[in-house]
Amino acid sequence: MSCHPDFVEYIADQCSGAGEITVKKMFGDYGIYCDGIIFGLICDDCFYLKPTDAGRAMLRSVELRPPYEGAKDYFYIADVDDRDYVSELVRVTCKHLPLPKRRKPASPAK
């Protein structure tokens, strides 16, 4: 099962108080980014957040589960309707995630 576009848009809007939110389609589901940092996944109309100690301290309830078969556990975020809470959770989580690695320029073809 894949994500409904309206749900993806809703989650992006709920997170928008944290910074510039973008989503990228990945194998039928979505990666969600804040200011260029991937912080979560949207899979099968569920929102998952990368686990950090700071995020855990903010969670109203901690539920770890893999977003898809074979994945590592992420925080499952069921309470997505409180925009201030979701935005702050994203903001705190992103502060504790590594910055994206810079890609090396492609070598010219010979």
Side-chain angles (χ1 to χ4, degrees):
M1 185 174 151
S2 63
C3 292
H4 193 279
D6 289 343
F7 183 78
V8 174
E9 185 177 329
Y10 179 71
I11 295 299
D13 185 59
Q14 292 299 90
C15 297
S16 65
E20 183 182 339
I21 303 297
T22 55
V23 293
K24 293 182 183 176
K25 195 162 188 162
M26 303 168 63
F27 308 109
D29 290 310
Y30 295 83
I32 185 164
Y33 299 74
C34 180
D35 298 327
I37 298 171
I38 187 167
F39 65 88
L41 299 170
I42 305 169
C43 301
D44 296 330
D45 289 339
C46 294
F47 177 44
Y48 298 91
L49 190 68
K50 284 190 172 186
T52 63
D53 290 337
R56 181 184 294 273
M58 270 197 71
L59 288 173
R60 294 175 178 161
S61 66
V62 176
E63 184 177 346
L64 285 166
R65 62 163 100 156
Y68 54 89
E69 189 175 327
K72 293 180 181 180
D73 284 342
Y74 277 58
F75 293 134
Y76 168 66
I77 309 300
D79 184 7
V80 296
D81 295 326
D82 183 341
R83 184 174 186 205
D84 293 334
Y85 168 69
V86 172
S87 289
E88 186 61 21
L89 187 56
V90 169
R91 187 178 3 264
V92 166
T93 295
C94 287
K95 284 182 184 178
H96 294 88
L97 292 174
L99 294 175
K101 294 179 182 177
R102 298 190 102 181
R103 293 185 175 182
K104 294 179 184 179
S107 299
K110 292 184 181 184

